[in-house]
Amino acid sequence: MATTTSTQQQADVRFTQRELDGARILCECLIAEGVQIIFGYPGGVLLPLYHVFSEYPEIRHILVRHEQAAAHAADGYARATNKVGVCMGTSGPGATNLVTGIATAMMDSAPVVALTGQVTRSLIGRDAFQETDITGITLPITKHNWLVMDTADLATTIKKAFHIAGTGRPGPVLVDIPKDVFTSKTYFSGYPAEVKMRGYNPTVFGHARQIKQAAKLINEAQRPVLLVGHGVTTSEAYNELMELAERAEIPVISTLQGLSSFPTAHPLSLGMPGMHGNLHANHAINESDVLIAMGMRFDDRVTGNLKSFARNCKIIHIDIDPAEIGKNVPVHIPIVGDVKKVLQVLNLHVNAAKHTEWLEKITHWRGKDAARRENEMARLGVLPPQFIIKTLGEVLGGEAVITTDVGQHQMYVAQHFNFRKANSLISSGGLGTMGFGLPSAMGAKMALGENVPVWTVTGDGGFQMNMQELATCVQEKINVKIAILNNGVLGMIRQWQQVFYDGRYHSTPITGPDFVKLAEAFGVRAWRVTHRDEVARTIQEANDWDGPALIDFIIPQGENVFPMVPPGGSNLDAITEA
Amino acid sequence: MPTITANTGTKHTLVVLLEDEPGALNRVVSMFRRRSFNIESLSVGHTEEANLSRMTLTVAGEDNEVEQMVKHLYKVLEVVKVTDVTAEQSIIREMALIKVTADKPENRAEIMQFAEIFKARVLDVAPDSITLESTGPEDEVDRLFILLKRYGIKESVRTGSVAMLRGSSVAGAI
Ligand SMILES: Cc1ncc(C[n+]2csc(CCOP(=O)(O)OP(=O)(O)O)c2C)c(N)n1
């Protein structure tokens, strides 16, 4: 009798020890998932979670100043490392503030888990205080999302969320958690080791026969080009790409997202194609006989008018997402799989080759383009933005990671920054989200640590969309460097007004605060630069400064990004001056 | 259910097996809306297996567009299997309930006759109306509708198509 009781007692003790509330279960799961940083902002329904955070010092919570910045920071963190970034917002306005950041991550396939608080279960659907249907709102901009209605489902849902966000074609996943799911207790048997989802089985290895066919096509090609995108970065296929390009002597063209997957200065690098791409890159695509596209999705900014894009070639398309293949462009050889895994096999079948004639042709186009650029640089005034970006590349010497905002400065970075380090450009391409620059730099910096300088290049417009995050940088000691290309206008929009709308500059002149004073008010070291001579020195000084720093570069107003393909036009009809 | 718009391309019948998660149907339909794919009809119900629903979708589009629909269906996490049964030997049926005006005796006789020819069941008879149930391929139901129109249709309702392969093969065997 006595024995029975004691066994029973022991069992009870074990059971109560294992009985945890949802808030603690979530923390246990996040730790098991290796989460070290959450970018977030508290709110009423999240309080049960914030109440227990101090018990879990493994998780650092970065208090941003706006939830949008939390989502962008998680995105920057994710892109810099290919690990899942985590952001969090409270129900209602907190959750909706995450939306732009989630959509940004979706468009650029960044692995992000967004956690949102939801009102108590019994209040759901009654327009309760701070209730929004965030799973409904984010349905089209997440890879998947859940509303967790039972604490017992929390652990498996978190496991699934991280699994889905980080595998296959990465993307954002949202988990919405009602307040009383955080507070109610359940038996917690540990973080699940694996999860099964019948409907989710990404294809990683390409089809062997198709890979062989692709190799055959490449081996027979006279004028091949490689067109590489973010998938190269996601699968970390840098060496495999280099091997293919060098062995078969194939020029490499990169989308904006693919730019840092192949060194800019490599003789085979042709840079970016498309709307603001290099003329020689667009010509090369147009005259190629085999186009090997990988980890890219034929966005309209890349292709221009589809009727005139890559008309004379056979297209091989490698992508992990089957739905990308044939979506915009008909493809001759589709290969579904992870770029790295596919290239490892493809490279076994590709012969060493020389394409001397083809490269000479490209060199000829490139020469014309180089002359145009030189002209441009010489024509420009005391502080051309192109010069700043070029100098930034020189001073930082291939160590730094650059994030950008959206606009002319973003295109200057794409055109003039010398990328030497794999995965060193983080930019909102798919959604083109202004306000992305500073918070994504914060995320990248937190991910990469002290030894990697992280700079954001931003416009005076984009910076003003999330400049409140200077406070976060100071409070949390996030050592990011900010370069504002300050032209006093919404430059890219003004450029369109100039070129396509008769120069009616309505609502594009934009004033800003004195950015140097502003930075100092936040406790950030700052400089103003107005002349070429000061550029290199100031960049160096800011880079060496131990703490967040800002440079306000006063650039000429009305300077434009060329070449420029009119939207909907053919890539071969680029305008080179206004 | 998205409404029928211009019927471009050929009609395809897709059988979709999906897991019964909250919102799964919404995800499928939202995907079609977001990508501007047209759904002509949709029917959904339980299957022989617990936690698994089966949808039959009729869609119109060029072959490559339908291929895109299938690929995007697979991106919906709950979707386990999609089968395009268009080119297969399949049984495709829909059901209609048709309440037709029948206040003249001669009309009543004719309506009953048509019902017999089309193997439609008489479900209800009232002094001035007859209600029929018609089950068959879509065009057969269409033809009955056309015949009954002249008497005046008071009310009608049609389900979307449901489809199954002929013989012992199974759509979406997994
Ligand atoms: C959130 C958001 N709103 C509006 C736009 C449209 N837009 C694209 S570029 C641009 C102007 C950017 O101006 P600025 O930040 O000063 O950079 P610049 O082009 O001058 O380098 C605008 C308004 C956008 N991309 N994102």
Side-chain angles (χ1 to χ4, degrees), chain A residues 406-409 432-434 459-462 465 487 489-493:
Chain A
V406 173
Q408 292 181 321
H409 63 276
T433 311
M434 280 171 77
D460 49 324
M465 281 206 180
N487 52 8
V489 291
L490 297 173
M492 187 57 98
I493 302 298

Side-chain angles (χ1 to χ4, degrees), chain B residues 1-12 14 29 31-42 57-61 65-66 69:
Chain B
M1 184 172 75
T3 45
I4 303 165
T5 52
N7 180 350
T8 54
T10 44
K11 198 176 274 190
H12 285 247
L14 306 178
V29 176
M31 184 281 287
F32 273 81
R33 184 192 59 80
R34 180 165 93 80
R35 302 219 173 248
S36 296
F37 297 144
N38 271 316
I39 301 179
E40 295 217 335
S41 83
L42 180 152
L57 282 155
T58 37
V59 297
E65 200 188 347
V66 176
M69 294 179 196

Side-chain angles (χ1 to χ4, degrees), chain A residues 397-476:
Chain A
E399 277 312 305
V401 165
I402 305 293
T403 82
T404 78
D405 240 287
V406 173
Q408 292 181 321
H409 63 276
Q410 180 188 32
M411 291 299 113
Y412 292 134
V413 169
Q415 293 180 344
H416 299 279
F417 192 87
N418 183 358
F419 293 100
R420 292 190 236 177
K421 181 187 166 77
N423 196 14
S424 56
L425 173 64
I426 294 174
S427 187
S428 167
L431 201 67
T433 311
M434 280 171 77
F436 179 76
L438 175 57
S440 64
M442 286 160 40
K445 183 65 193 173
M446 303 244 37
L448 295 168
E450 268 320 294
N451 294 330
V452 183
V454 176
W455 280 73
T456 186
V457 177
T458 176
D460 49 324
F463 181 64
Q464 291 187 61
M465 281 206 180
N466 272 322
M467 62 185 174
Q468 76 284 346
E469 296 308 318
L470 287 174
T472 310
C473 293
V474 172
Q475 182 175 357
E476 306 280 354

Side-chain angles (χ1 to χ4, degrees), chain A residues 312-326:
Chain A
N312 311 310
C313 63
K314 295 224 160 75
I315 299 179
I316 300 164
H317 191 183
I318 307 167
D319 203 289
I320 195 146
D321 182 353
E324 281 307 333
I325 293 177

